[in-house]
Structures are given as C-alpha cells and as structure tokens.
Amino acid sequence: MISLLFGNWRFVLDAVLIIALVVLLFMVNPFGIFGNGLQLGTTANMVTEVQKIGQLVTAEYYGEVISSLDESRLVLIEENNTQQLANDLYREIKYALYDLYQYQQIPKKERREDFLAEYRRNDGLRRKALQSVSRNNILEKIGFLSLTDSLTKHPFYLQTIEFLWREKYQNAEKRSWNPDSRAEAEVLLNLYQELATQQQSVEDGAFKRYLNDGFEFTASFQDFMFSEQKSELPRAERKKQLAIVGRGWVKAGFDFGQLDENSFYLHEETGDLHFFGLEPQILDADINPWFIPERAVPGFEIIDYQGPVNFKDAQRVKEHCIQKLVFYAHQAHIIQQAQQQGAETLKSFFSLVTGQPIHRVHFHNDVLTQTVKEIARDEYINYYEGILLDSLLAQEGRRADSLNNSLTNRTRNEQLATELDSMRRQSLRRLRKLRFEEAGQLFNYFSTLIHQIGQDSIIDQHERNLLQQVRWNISASNKDNREQLGAYKDPIFWYEDSLEFVMEYNAALKYLEEMVVQVADTFLMSLPNTEQALPDWSDSTKIILDFWSSDSTTTINYLDSNSLNSTFLSQLSFPFYYNKAALRKFVLQNNFITSQSVAHLDSLTVSGMNDNGFYVYDESKLYIVSLSPKLFFDELLLKNDTISADSLTFILRSNAKQPELQESESFKLSAEQAADLAEYFKILQTHHQVEHNKGAIVRASEWVREKLTYHTDSLTPLDQFQKFLSPQP
C-alpha cells in the first residue's frame, strides 16, 4: 500500500492540491461566485414576509373629547369651522360686488360695445350693461358678468345671505324668511351700496381691510346654523339634550396587506429602501367602555342629558366623539409621526430580514399613485379623469427619463427609474379594468382620444391624421411603433400584447361610428362684427364653434362632407380578429392548418366548405384552416365570399360561380389592410409550423428558459404571438 502511494506520489499530490484549492476558493469566495449566503432580495419571498406583518402601528394618540347631540346632528367637528367658511364666503361676495362696482365705472360706450360683442343683440342691454345698479337689475348684472357662478354653489350661500339679512340689516324681528330672488337682491344691493360708500370715503388701505374682513358684527354664524337646524326638527327632538365625554385612542401606521413586488425596492449597495404608493394611514380609532379599567375611568361618560333621549341618540353622539378624536389626532400630526417612526421600524425589520444594514427609507407617495386610488374608488373613469391621467403619466415619464439620463449615481438612479416604471405599469393595469364613460368599453390607450374626437361629431383633417398616426404597424418593431405613437402619447405600459392592442383600436373606431360622426375638412375664418358680413358668410358654410371679440369673430367651419370618403373609419380598422384563448385552443391541433397542391385557382372546387373553416390560396398551394371565419376575420369581411390580400386569396364560403371565383363587392380592403391580413395569417402559419416541429428536448429547454427569463414589454408581434399561444406546461 505504501509502495503504491510512493509510486503514485505525483497523482496524490495533485489531488491534495486540487482539494485544497477548492476549499480555499469556497472560503474566500471571490466575486461571490459561490453565492453570498442566505440573503433575501426584493423577491416574492420578501413580499410574503412583509405581508405577514399585516398592519404596523407606528404612532398612537390618546385624548379626551366632548360632543353633544346638537353637534352630532350638524356633523360639526372642527371648532368654528362653519364660522370660518361663512367668513370666507362673505369676503368672496364682497370681492364679486367690487368687480361689479369697477365695471360700472367703465364709460357707457365701452360697456355697450362689449355687450354687443358678446350677445350681438340688444336684449337686456340697458338692464345688464347701461343702467345703474338697483334691486331690479343687480342679479342680472352679476349674472351677465359671471361674478357669483361659483359662489352660489357654495353649501352655505343661502344661509349666509339669510344671516346677513337678519343680523347685518336688522331684520331679526321678521320671523318669516323667504329665500327668493328679491330677498337675495336686497341683501346684495345693501352690501353693494355700503361697498361703494367705503371705496369713495376711505383710504385704499382701509378699503382693502374692509374687503378682507369677515362679519363685522358679534353674532355667531355657527350659533345661527345651530338654531336654524334645530328649528327644523320636530318639537320632541328639540327638547332632547345630551352631552358625552369620550376618552380613547387613535392608531396610525401602515397596512401591508396589498403590498406586491413592485411596491418597494431595496438598493443593496447604498442601503436605501424605497416604498412606492405605501403611505401611513389611520388604522384604528376606538373608545372602549373602560379607558383605564384598573382606575375605573370610563371611556364614555354622560355629563348632561334631558328630554326623551334614546339609544340611537347616544350612539350618534358616541360616533361623533370618535370622529372628533380622529380630527384632533390629525391636528396633532399623527400621520407625520407615523411616517417618521415607520421609517425607523422598517429599517430595523428589513435589516433583520436581508442581513444587511438599511441606512435610509424613502416613501414615494407620488401624485399618480394617489390619483389612481381616487379614480378607481368608484370603478369608473370619465373623460376629464382620463385627461388628468395622461398629464400625470407624461410627468412620470419625464421623471423616469431624467433618472435614466443622470450623470451621477447612474446605477442607483436607473434602478429607481425601473421601479417607477413598474408602478406606472401596475397603475395602468388597474385602470384598464375599469369602465370608461358611456362607451361600454374598458379604459385603454385610445379612450380619451376617441371621446374628444366624437364630442363635436366631426372628424376633421387633423383628427384623421392623428387616427392614422396611432394605428399600430404589425410588420414593424415595437420600438418603431412606440416612436410613431409617441407623438400622441407614449404607448409604453398601455399594452402587454400588441395584437390585443390593435383590437382595442378596432373597438375605438366602432365606437366612433356609433357616435354618428361626419368626416369633413374644417377651416378658420375671421370676420368683422358687422351686420352685412354675417349673412354673406354663413349661407355657404356651417359653424362649429365661435370665438367672439369686440372687433371680429373667428369661427371654425366645415365644408360639405359629402365629397369625402364615407368609409374612412372602416378603411382604418384592422381586417382580422384576434382572440387569444380561441387561437391557443386551435393552434395545438395537428390538423389546424393543412395544405395541398393546386395547379390554378380557377380549377379549385370548394363546394364542401362550412362555417368551421376557410381556405387560403397561395402560389399553387391551398391551405385548409380549421378555424371558424368569425375567429379570424373582422366582422366587416364576413359577408365576403373571397378576399384578396397581397399574394393570398382567402375563400370563406362556396361560390355558385365555380370555378371562376369572384371577390365580393361588400367590402374592399385598402392596400394597408391587405398587407395586415396577409401578415397576420403568415404569423399564425409560421407559429403553427414551428410549434409542431419541436421535439421533446426543445420543448423542455424552452420551458426552462421561460422560467428563468424576465419577460419585458419590448417583444415583437411574433414574440407576443408565440408567448400567448405556445402550449402551457
């Protein structure tokens, strides 16, 4: 044995050296090639660990409040809040009347010209523009100048007018208040005359203080509201008196229940932890029966009551106590404290979970995240919300671009930009599940554009160019398509399957057709405001919109629409139909697409066709597709017997004129539509061939590659097609 070892000493030495080298490499672990131990990155495992926290309380508020039955009826929480709102409204009314006073100082000639430029008729000229202010015309003058349009919608407007009528102008003895226009005009006229006197008799500084002052008398508007509300109650209710002290607590912190892998990001090199869309909130507010049981301090304590008070009254007051407690907690800045303390707590927690120190925690409670939450609350998106979202998404895009183009901290900023992109993607996924306006469709990239085009029932030349610009080119790369569509707005994150994206485009065009729009050219025309110019111009054109000024009128007009192509929208639509689930079902069948040789199209006999398939002829070869035409062609083409698309001829049904097949006249494809239809079939055909030529080893390697590869949205249309239609393991 020893002789054997000595005889092979060189081999034994090599083996020992190799083993020692492996052990040394494993212990030193250069470049982390053997891993970095048990660590937890921003993965699904970390998300699970964070979700297990549930709700994290990081700030608490303990307090005592007093509430009465009268307060709970008026739902008053903040002290003197009603008084302040009425004071602010009173100041706004005075400023509106001061605007009227300044208008009255303009020479009558200029007021006449402005009025005629606005209305083009003399109706109301004297009352609204020329006469002095009086009780008979003050409301008309204010309405003409649009001075109180927003003020009259204020919830306290009529109550403030009544309060001034009773307290300022000494009508308290008049018990019957009739909130009609005469009473409103009386109050406004008295206030206008007082304002005019002040402006003429006092210095500018004193007059400005007068405009900014609230109620100058001692009566309380809040007490007035109490009495008004109480006077409307039945007599038995007015006799009720109840006051309760409530002692309890409010807890604020974070709710991790809805957290996902896109909600936070850990930058390992700098130890920065970023949270997106996670914000502190009130988690609990309660007043228990016993606030301090060991000292017998109750949570609720009745300090005064009289009259037929019942359980519902007490319940209402108790609920109001909790609302007051929450309000006082907000005044004590509980949310800010929850975020500060939460940052420290999350630093410790993530340091423990990841095994590395966390130095800073950043909360990105951006406007987009908050807006999406508010919009999604009613599960409905209107046109104006869509416009707001477009603006916010553009801002977020510029923010991400600035991070990607930063010259300092490039790696850190690029990773942060990636997380911001993930938040945009998640936001749009959520919004695209909601209904938009009355279109009967879900919100998508084209929603606001189509609604805007259809509002005036006209598709002018500029809108036609825009509709053509946002049409996806299925033969081009996704990058080229993004650059083309980006002139309207960036399409990134608005789609995950380019073929589904073009189906949304088709649906948008169909919605425009349902809105009964006309295709017409428009033009601008500016004319002097003279009686002779108007009829000469309006007889030959049709006005869409007017822009008035004192000297001239600019109008948007449209020409006769009959001269334009009435099939504009149908010529834009994609000629095929895409249904992901249906195609996946059929593409796995061996006989999905079969072929046979045919000498000439004229010799073809298709008498045995039915609704479960169609033929495609291409250069002496006939393909039999076992797919219902309804699942391949757009509904506009289903009436056709045959369809020519580049070198392909699609045969949908038997033709009585065999063997001379004629293309139906029901709908003609444009050159672009023909290319799209041919390209769509070739994508389907190629994928079917590739799919059924795969062996077991290829399928297994693709399965592994799919599990280990992060899919992005930068896939070509063919890649998208393969991604969705390939067999699932």
Side-chain angles (χ1 to χ4, degrees):
M1 183 68 179
I2 296 176
S3 61
L4 181 63
L5 290 175
F6 278 107
N8 298 281
W9 66 270
R10 188 180 298 276
F11 173 78
V12 173
L13 180 61
D14 290 342
V16 171
L17 289 175
I18 292 174
I19 294 174
L21 180 62
V22 171
V23 172
L24 180 63
L25 284 174
F26 185 82
M27 294 177 62
V28 176
N29 192 15
F31 309 108
I33 59 177
F34 294 105
N36 295 316
L38 183 59
Q39 292 188 346
L40 195 60
T42 309
T43 63
N45 291 333
M46 182 183 289
V47 173
T48 303
E49 291 297 322
V50 177
Q51 286 178 339
K52 287 180 181 178
I53 301 176
Q55 292 183 341
L56 176 65
V57 177
T58 57
E60 295 181 343
Y61 172 85
Y62 295 86
E64 178 180 86
V65 295
I66 301 177
S67 178
S68 67
L69 185 58
D70 289 335
E71 274 189 333
S72 64
R73 285 171 178 151
L74 289 177
V75 199
L76 295 176
I77 298 178
E78 184 180 359
E79 292 280 344
N80 297 322
N81 183 48
T82 307
Q83 183 81 18
Q84 184 61 45
L85 290 174
N87 264 322
D88 294 340
L89 178 59
Y90 179 48
R91 281 189 284 268
E92 293 296 328
I93 292 174
K94 286 193 289 186
Y95 271 103
L97 292 175
Y98 182 55
D99 289 340
L100 174 60
Y101 174 80
Q102 291 180 309
Y103 176 77
Q104 288 295 119
Q105 310 312 307
I106 299 174
K108 286 188 177 181
K109 182 179 178 180
E110 294 184 22
R111 281 185 272 161
R112 177 189 294 273
E113 292 177 355
D114 289 342
F115 184 89
L116 293 177
E118 178 74 18
Y119 288 95
R120 286 180 170 260
R121 291 190 300 271
N122 293 335
D123 295 347
L125 170 61
R126 294 182 57 82
R127 296 190 311 277
K128 297 177 181 179
L130 302 182
Q131 290 180 350
S132 300
V133 178
S134 67
R135 190 171 68 176
N136 295 329
N137 62 20
I138 187 170
L139 294 179
E140 282 189 286
K141 284 179 173 290
I142 289 174
F144 165 64
L145 298 174
S146 302
L147 297 176
T148 59
D149 290 350
S150 60
L151 301 183
T152 55
K153 297 176 183 178
H154 195 284
F156 290 158
Y157 178 75
L158 289 178
Q159 289 88 340
T160 303
I161 294 295
E162 180 184 357
F163 183 56
L164 293 171
W165 183 78
R166 290 188 182 278
E167 302 296 339
K168 184 177 179 65
Y169 301 115
Q170 304 301 315
N171 289 309
E173 70 280 359
K174 299 180 181 179
R175 302 185 60 84
S176 89
W177 156 258
N178 186 13
D180 58 9
S181 58
R182 291 181 60 84
E184 180 185 357
E186 178 185 340
V187 172
L188 294 177
L189 178 62
N190 288 335
L191 193 55
Y192 174 83
Q193 292 172 343
E194 176 186 299
L195 181 145
T197 303
Q198 288 282 340
Q199 202 279 334
Q200 296 168 7
S201 60
V202 301
E203 296 179 353
D204 291 342
F207 180 70
K208 189 173 182 180
R209 287 193 297 273
Y210 164 78
L211 288 177
N212 291 318
D213 285 341
F215 298 122
E216 64 275 12
F217 41 87
T218 58
S220 168
F221 182 81
Q222 183 167 283
D223 293 340
F224 165 75
M225 287 291 294
F226 268 115
S227 61
E228 286 291 304
Q229 294 273 349
K230 195 168 183 179
S231 65
E232 296 176 0
L233 296 174
R235 185 175 181 181
E237 290 293 321
R238 293 200 299 269
K239 292 182 177 180
K240 292 181 179 180
Q241 295 291 336
L242 178 63
I244 294 179
V245 172
R247 307 177 183 93
W249 56 83
V250 180
K251 298 180 180 181
F254 299 88
D255 188 350
F256 297 101
Q258 302 300 321
L259 202 71
D260 58 35
E261 62 271 14
N262 295 311
S263 298
F264 64 97
Y265 161 68
L266 174 61
H267 192 273
E268 298 180 358
E269 295 180 1
T270 61
D272 286 354
L273 180 62
H274 298 268
F275 284 95
F276 302 92
L278 181 69
E279 59 179 347
Q281 56 185 289
I282 300 297
L283 299 176
D284 186 29
D286 196 14
I287 299 179
N288 284 338
W290 290 102
F291 183 61
I292 308 177
E294 57 273 17
R295 297 187 179 181
V297 177
F300 286 112
E301 184 176 359
I302 298 176
I303 58 176
D304 181 36
Y305 78 93
Q306 65 180 19
V309 177
N310 55 35
F311 173 77
K312 289 185 177 180
D313 297 326
Q315 186 180 31
R316 173 185 288 182
V317 178
K318 289 180 178 181
E319 290 174 353
H320 192 254
C321 282
I322 296 177
Q323 294 173 8
K324 256 189 157 179
L325 194 65
V326 173
F327 175 77
Y328 290 147
H330 279 291
Q331 281 192 326
H333 308 294
I334 188 174
I335 296 298
Q336 292 87 331
Q337 294 175 15
Q339 179 162 315
Q340 294 173 4
Q341 184 60 36
E344 297 299 322
T345 304
L346 290 172
K347 273 198 289 187
S348 302
F349 173 77
F350 275 83
S351 297
L352 178 64
V353 172
T354 61
Q356 62 183 41
I358 305 298
H359 301 298
R360 289 174 298 274
V361 175
H362 306 274
F363 295 98
H364 299 276
N365 299 319
D366 53 277
V367 178
L368 176 63
T369 303
Q370 303 303 322
T371 304
V372 168
K373 287 182 180 180
E374 289 298 320
I375 290 177
R377 184 166 298 176
D378 59 358
E379 299 182 353
Y380 169 83
I381 302 177
N382 61 42
Y383 169 68
Y384 301 102
E385 290 172 336
I387 294 294
L388 175 60
L389 286 170
D390 287 345
S391 175
L392 293 177
L393 288 169
Q395 292 178 20
E396 289 297 305
R398 290 190 292 270
R399 181 182 171 193
D401 289 342
S402 65
L403 289 171
N404 286 322
N405 298 327
S406 175
L407 298 178
T408 58
N409 299 325
R410 288 189 60 85
T411 302
R412 175 183 174 186
N413 288 335
E414 287 175 356
Q415 291 174 333
L416 181 57
T418 300
E419 292 303 314
L420 292 175
D421 289 346
S422 297
M423 288 303 301
R424 275 194 289 169
R425 182 183 292 107
Q426 292 296 326
S427 297
L428 282 176
R429 282 177 180 170
R430 181 179 183 183
L431 293 173
R432 285 166 51 208
K433 297 177 182 179
L434 305 180
R435 183 170 55 88
F436 177 77
E437 283 288 347
E438 301 301 327
Q441 301 174 4
L442 299 182
F443 182 62
N444 58 56
Y445 177 83
F446 309 100
S447 296
T448 53
L449 172 63
I450 297 303
H451 188 82
Q452 183 178 4
I453 291 176
Q455 277 185 324
D456 60 0
S457 302
I458 298 294
I459 307 179
D460 63 24
Q461 62 270 32
H462 310 291
E463 293 167 339
R464 294 199 298 276
N465 290 335
L466 190 54
L467 285 173
Q468 291 170 333
Q469 183 181 358
V470 297
R471 191 181 190 275
W472 190 269
N473 185 353
I474 67 171
S475 301
S477 67
N478 284 8
K479 180 181 179 181
D480 293 337
N481 275 303
R482 287 191 189 127
E483 292 178 354
Q484 173 189 330
L485 274 66
Y488 164 57
K489 66 181 179 185
D490 192 353
I492 193 170
F493 310 138
W494 282 96
Y495 71 94
E496 296 176 358
D497 180 355
S498 56
L499 290 172
E500 285 187 347
F501 188 71
V502 302
M503 290 297 100
E504 291 176 350
Y505 180 81
N506 273 10
L509 296 180
K510 287 181 174 62
Y511 178 61
L512 265 182
E513 290 181 341
E514 294 173 0
M515 296 176 73
V516 193
V517 294
Q518 290 184 330
V519 181
D521 287 337
T522 62
F523 62 94
L524 295 176
M525 179 174 288
S526 181
L527 293 171
N529 290 336
T530 62
E531 296 181 359
Q532 183 176 359
L534 181 61
D536 293 342
W537 144 72
S538 60
D539 289 343
S540 59
T541 60
K542 202 165 184 179
I543 305 172
I544 298 178
L545 186 62
D546 300 324
F547 298 96
W548 306 95
S549 68
S550 58
D551 299 325
S552 63
T553 300
T554 301
T555 61
I556 301 177
N557 313 274
Y558 66 85
L559 296 170
D560 184 8
S561 60
N562 295 330
S563 61
L564 295 176
N565 184 8
S566 59
T567 62
F568 170 74
L569 292 177
S570 57
Q571 293 292 332
L572 275 182
S573 64
F574 290 89
F576 55 82
Y577 174 75
Y578 172 68
N579 185 301
K580 178 175 58 179
L583 285 176
R584 181 186 292 119
K585 174 183 176 182
F586 283 96
V587 79
L588 296 179
Q589 300 176 4
N590 292 328
N591 61 345
F592 175 50
I593 299 179
T594 57
S595 63
Q596 64 184 46
S597 298
V598 177
H600 299 287
L601 181 62
D602 294 343
S603 63
L604 180 63
T605 301
V606 291
S607 57
M609 292 186 61
N610 53 45
D611 292 337
N612 296 324
F614 58 91
Y615 292 166
V616 183
Y617 178 79
D618 181 21
E619 298 178 354
S620 74
K621 182 166 287 191
L622 181 69
Y623 297 96
I624 301 96
V625 184
S626 299
L627 179 68
S628 171
K630 295 180 180 180
L631 296 177
F632 185 86
F633 299 96
D634 184 76
E635 59 183 13
L636 290 173
L637 299 178
L638 294 178
K639 295 181 181 180
N640 291 28
D641 295 332
T642 63
I643 304 166
S644 297
D646 291 349
S647 63
L648 304 179
T649 300
F650 295 86
I651 307 170
L652 276 67
R653 61 179 59 84
S654 302
N655 195 305
K657 295 182 179 181
Q658 288 288 348
E660 298 179 358
L661 290 172
Q662 301 290 331
E663 185 171 4
S664 172
E665 297 293 333
S666 58
F667 183 78
K668 293 288 187 179
L669 293 178
S670 65
E672 191 173 13
Q673 287 177 315
D676 288 339
L677 187 60
E679 179 70 17
Y680 182 63
F681 175 72
K682 290 176 181 177
I683 289 175
L684 180 62
Q685 178 189 16
T686 302
H687 176 62
H688 175 71
Q689 292 174 351
V690 171
E691 187 68 24
H692 285 274
N693 289 334
K694 292 177 183 177
I697 296 178
V698 174
R699 291 179 184 273
S701 63
E702 285 187 352
W703 182 87
V704 173
R705 209 162 44 242
E706 180 182 0
K707 296 301 180 184
L708 298 180
T709 303
Y710 175 73
H711 292 283
T712 68
D713 286 326
S714 59
L715 303 176
T716 65
L718 180 58
D719 293 332
Q720 289 281 2
F721 205 81
Q722 292 174 335
K723 175 182 176 182
F724 285 112
L725 299 184
S726 58
Q728 298 298 318

